Amino acid sequence: MILSQFIFVPLFAAFLIALVARKRENIATAIALIATGWIFIFSLIAFFKLPAEAGMIMKTTSGWKIPFTIALVLDHLSAFMLIVINLVAFFSAFYAIQYIKHFTGKWNFFALFMLMLAGMNGVALTGDFFNLYVFMEISLISAYALVAFGTESEELEASFKYATMGAITSTMILFGIGILYSFTSTLNMAQVGQTIQANPSNKLLFLVYGLFIAGFGLKTALVPFHAWLPDAHPSAPAPISAMLSGVLIKTLGVYALIRIFFNIFGAPPVVLTILLLLATLSIVIGGFLSLVQWDFKRLLGFSSISQIGYVILGFALGTKLGILGGVLHLLYHSIFKSLLFLDSGAVEYATGERDIRKLGGLAKKMPVTSFTNMIGTLSIAGIPPFNGFFSKLIIIIACFAAGHFVIGFIAALASIVTLAYFLKVQKHAFYGESKLKNNFEKVPFTLKTSMIILAVLCLVSSLLLIPSVRQTTVQPIVDAVWNATQYIDKIVPFLGSV
Amino acid sequence: MILYLMCFFLFLVGLYGAITKRDLIKIILAIGIMGYSVNLFLILIAYRSGALAPILEKGLEFSMVDPLPQALVLTSIVIELGITALLAALAIRIYEKYDTLDITKIRRLKG
């Protein structure tokens, strides 16, 4: 398995599009589709080729031993992240083929899209702190540019806000990495982990914890750091909103937090407590702020804050059951939230309107969008047989099992709030009288296909909970997070001396 | 130690500017200052007093500065250049749309 292909295929595609496909937009589309399809297939192969018992593949990017080179590490957690990223990326790219006709500069869009993808795959694979920072910046810079892609005044404003906050917190992360380096004299994650676990009571570590929680917390949009998300995610074109809400906040935020705090720092209790509180705040505040929104995409943005709270809550409980819930909710949220954003994009494409008060009666005019949106609503609100029910149930049970009764109760109540605001969308946008004045445009083929496949996945992915399937797919991921030192132990044989 | 403290102070100056200033250009500059302070910090980590550039020669034994943070600083300068350029481009486009650089007047998004 060539690990670096997950990074260089999209990177190469981005530059190829910029070089070759400026005038020929069909070539840009073809290159983007081939590249995303390619790495999606290989990410599936990579996951299923890993041995179930604590499997790990490590490749260095040059012939040197570890402290002198950058290591790419594929364990079950990063292979799982690769699948999530590339699944959503493939369907977003497919959706974008016809959606992006309303914009000029199709090649620009796809080039930035591939750059963002390269950055995210890099974050999921890297085993090196500074490399993590570099890949994070690659995907963030392209994300800033993509948020401003429409170059309307609101989009520019949202992008500037996002870019400012992102730049400040990225600087904090770099500061934290600098402190870690001065403490351990290495940038390799496993070696940093080794040194820290040898003397865990160093006071300097608390500064690093704080910098990393602020830095990656902003990328995750946990509540005190959430202000950019409801502006930035709705302003981007719909396939990019799906990518940002579906995977970007999870890769740069949740995955990086989990990898660093669980695998490297060995899940320090003080950090888990902070994350637990922030997650509960996110669930409540995100949920209640979505209730009062009338802009379809903005409502989805606030809902992302609330749902990402559930994911972090699951992980922050630190029990096996909680981590299982977190992993599942991460996957499920990326599926149904990107589905819902694609639906909102289809509504905007067809009617040119995002305010749900001005819509109405769309169920008859756009049956596919309405139906898939209904499935997405049921999934995110947690109605059984759909996937969201199971992951939320596991997280709530894990809360009670770990003795956090109040938080479990809040999480259960917030789930009802979720149902309320999505039923609001259903009622105002898809049923009732049509209040539409604009012309109505038909939803093209690629939009429909992407939405239908994601809607089917909403149901099919519930099958991951069947015990025999779970043993071979989800359980290794949970073990990779839970056995904190396993990550370090597996890399130790490859290490040279510092 | 005093150098580290001053470096951290520079970081706080940048943070203060980014949070309190109302002008887009000043915010961009403040973010730049934060970036410089972190670069300076990385260089300070690598510094050894009385050490020379890390070039090995046969038969010569001397203490060297740590070359790795210097390489990191080069990379991070390039990244900061990218971000600053993007922010400046956004600021220019915002000025075209809103005719102002004052963030209290750039408020079409709310909620």
Side-chain angles (χ1 to χ4, degrees), chain A residues 35-110:
Chain A
T36 45
W38 171 297
I39 47 176
F40 175 44
I41 290 167
F42 270 93
S43 63
L44 284 175
I45 295 174
F47 185 85
F48 289 106
K49 273 179 89 175
L50 273 180
E53 273 303 309
M56 179 180 283
I57 304 176
M58 205 207 61
K59 291 273 164 72
T60 51
T61 48
S62 64
W64 299 85
K65 281 276 186 182
I66 265 189
F68 308 111
T69 184
I70 293 166
L72 298 180
V73 181
L74 185 83
D75 67 345
H76 278 97
L77 182 61
S78 36
F80 164 73
M81 277 320 290
L82 281 181
I83 292 180
V84 175
I85 295 165
N86 295 311
L87 172 89
V88 178
F90 179 69
F91 290 113
S92 300
F94 191 64
Y95 179 97
I97 297 171
Q98 285 183 308
Y99 179 85
I100 209 70
K101 275 180 186 158
H102 282 205
F103 296 88
T104 52
K106 205 174 185 177
W107 67 271
N108 240 329
F109 175 86
F110 278 117

Side-chain angles (χ1 to χ4, degrees), chain A residues 8-208:
Chain A
F8 79 70
V9 166
L11 207 56
F12 185 67
F15 290 114
L16 203 63
I17 288 169
L19 277 177
V20 180
R22 276 171 176 255
K23 294 275 158 58
R24 283 154 289 186
E25 295 193 328
N26 290 337
I27 298 182
T29 320
I31 294 172
L33 266 189
I34 291 170
T36 45
W38 171 297
I39 47 176
F40 175 44
I41 290 167
F42 270 93
S43 63
L44 284 175
I45 295 174
F47 185 85
F48 289 106
K49 273 179 89 175
L50 273 180
E53 273 303 309
M56 179 180 283
I57 304 176
M58 205 207 61
K59 291 273 164 72
T60 51
T61 48
S62 64
W64 299 85
K65 281 276 186 182
I66 265 189
F68 308 111
T69 184
I70 293 166
L72 298 180
V73 181
L74 185 83
D75 67 345
H76 278 97
L77 182 61
S78 36
F80 164 73
M81 277 320 290
L82 281 181
I83 292 180
V84 175
I85 295 165
N86 295 311
L87 172 89
V88 178
F90 179 69
F91 290 113
S92 300
F94 191 64
Y95 179 97
I97 297 171
Q98 285 183 308
Y99 179 85
I100 209 70
K101 275 180 186 158
H102 282 205
F103 296 88
T104 52
K106 205 174 185 177
W107 67 271
N108 240 329
F109 175 86
F110 278 117
L112 285 170
F113 186 95
M114 299 314 287
L115 262 185
M116 186 166 86
L117 192 56
M120 281 194 283
N121 283 339
V123 168
L125 274 177
T126 188
D128 184 280
F129 268 110
F130 192 72
N131 205 226
L132 176 84
Y133 169 77
V134 172
F135 280 126
M136 190 177 74
E137 287 301 301
I138 291 176
S139 55
L140 276 177
I141 292 178
S142 24
Y144 305 149
L146 280 167
V147 167
F149 195 73
T151 61
E152 292 301 319
S153 39
E154 287 90 356
E155 284 144 14
L156 292 167
E157 186 188 331
S159 174
F160 191 84
K161 200 172 181 181
Y162 184 16
T164 316
M165 292 190 178
I168 293 173
T169 45
S170 295
T171 320
M172 287 183 177
I173 291 172
L174 186 59
F175 193 30
I177 292 172
I179 296 173
L180 272 185
Y181 179 79
S182 71
F183 180 45
T184 60
S185 326
T186 175
L187 286 168
N188 185 273
M189 288 186 181
Q191 280 184 320
V192 170
Q194 248 185 335
T195 319
I196 285 174
Q197 272 157 27
N199 33 8
S201 57
N202 195 299
K203 294 277 187 301
L204 205 57
L205 278 179
F206 287 96
L207 181 58
V208 179

Side-chain angles (χ1 to χ4, degrees), chain A residues 218-274:
Chain A
L218 187 123
K219 268 79 179 178
T220 328
L222 282 171
V223 142
F225 315 111
H226 70 289
W228 58 274
L229 187 143
D231 294 338
H233 286 193
S235 299
I240 298 304
S241 311
M243 282 293 281
L244 292 178
S245 248
V247 289
L248 189 91
I249 53 174
K250 300 201 181 72
T251 323
L252 304 188
V254 179
Y255 170 81
L257 278 176
I258 300 307
R259 176 62 89 210
I260 290 174
F261 282 121
F262 278 75
N263 289 148
I264 313 297
F265 292 148
V270 53
V271 173
L272 291 190
T273 316
I274 293 173

Side-chain angles (χ1 to χ4, degrees), chain A residues 318-497:
Chain A
T319 58
K320 261 196 165 176
L321 196 62
I323 293 169
L324 173 70
V327 167
L328 284 176
H329 203 64
L330 196 156
L331 171 68
Y332 294 166
H333 179 252
S334 75
I335 294 172
F336 52 62
K337 186 46 67 69
S338 42
L339 169 65
L340 286 165
F341 263 116
L342 296 186
D343 280 330
S344 75
V347 170
E348 199 184 357
Y349 185 96
T351 64
E353 191 59 67
R354 265 163 52 177
D355 191 331
I356 52 177
R357 279 171 298 190
K358 293 178 187 156
L359 297 165
L362 289 180
K364 284 176 202 140
K365 284 181 182 166
M366 8 185 5
V368 175
T369 312
S370 165
F371 185 66
T372 51
N373 191 68
M374 181 57 105
I375 290 181
T377 302
L378 295 179
S379 308
I380 199 170
I383 307 294
F386 294 99
N387 53 17
F389 168 72
F390 299 107
S391 52
K392 277 190 187 174
L393 186 69
I394 292 173
I395 291 173
I396 292 167
I397 290 175
C399 276
F400 284 112
H404 296 288
F405 296 104
V406 180
I407 293 176
F409 194 62
I410 290 172
L413 274 186
S415 178
I416 300 170
V417 177
T418 315
L419 185 62
Y421 58 75
F422 274 104
L423 284 182
K424 184 175 99 172
V425 175
Q426 288 292 324
K427 174 171 174 280
H428 285 274
F430 291 98
Y431 296 95
E433 290 290 300
S434 176
K435 282 160 270 180
L436 217 57
K437 296 186 188 89
N438 306 6
N439 289 334
F440 188 82
E441 223 172 307
K442 275 196 77 165
V443 179
F445 163 75
T446 65
L447 277 70
K448 280 184 190 166
T449 320
S450 290
M451 292 184 308
I452 290 171
I453 293 174
L454 284 174
V456 172
L457 279 179
C458 274
L459 259 179
V460 173
S461 57
S462 309
L463 295 180
L464 284 177
L465 279 160
I466 297 173
S468 59
V469 182
R470 201 188 67 207
Q471 263 325 312
T472 53
T473 53
V474 190
Q475 207 56 47
I477 308 168
V478 176
D479 289 340
V481 181
W482 197 67
N483 295 337
T485 51
Q486 173 190 303
Y487 177 82
I488 298 168
D489 296 341
K490 277 278 162 182
I491 295 187
V492 165
F494 298 97
L495 299 180
S497 58

Side-chain angles (χ1 to χ4, degrees), chain A residues 130 133-134 137 141 144-145 148 151-154 156-160 163-164 167-168 171-172 174-175 178-179 181-182 187 231 235 293 298 302, chain B residues 8 11 15 18 24 27-28 31 34-35 38 41-42 45 66 68-69 72 75-76 79 83 86-87 90 93-94 97-98 106-111:
Chain A
F130 192 72
Y133 169 77
V134 172
E137 287 301 301
I141 292 178
Y144 305 149
T151 61
E152 292 301 319
S153 39
E154 287 90 356
L156 292 167
E157 186 188 331
S159 174
F160 191 84
T164 316
I168 293 173
T171 320
M172 287 183 177
L174 186 59
F175 193 30
I179 296 173
Y181 179 79
S182 71
L187 286 168
D231 294 338
S235 299
Q293 300 302 320
R298 205 175 168 79
F302 275 110
Chain B
F8 191 66
F11 183 82
L15 191 60
L24 292 186
I27 292 175
I28 296 172
I31 290 171
M34 280 180 80
V38 172
F41 175 67
L42 288 173
I45 295 169
D66 189 349
L68 186 65
L72 302 188
T75 317
S76 101
I79 290 173
I83 288 185
L86 185 74
L87 281 170
L90 284 173
R93 296 299 284 268
I94 287 175
K97 297 275 178 192
Y98 288 85
I106 305 172
R107 292 190 68 92
R108 289 201 194 154
L109 294 166
K110 52 186 179 296

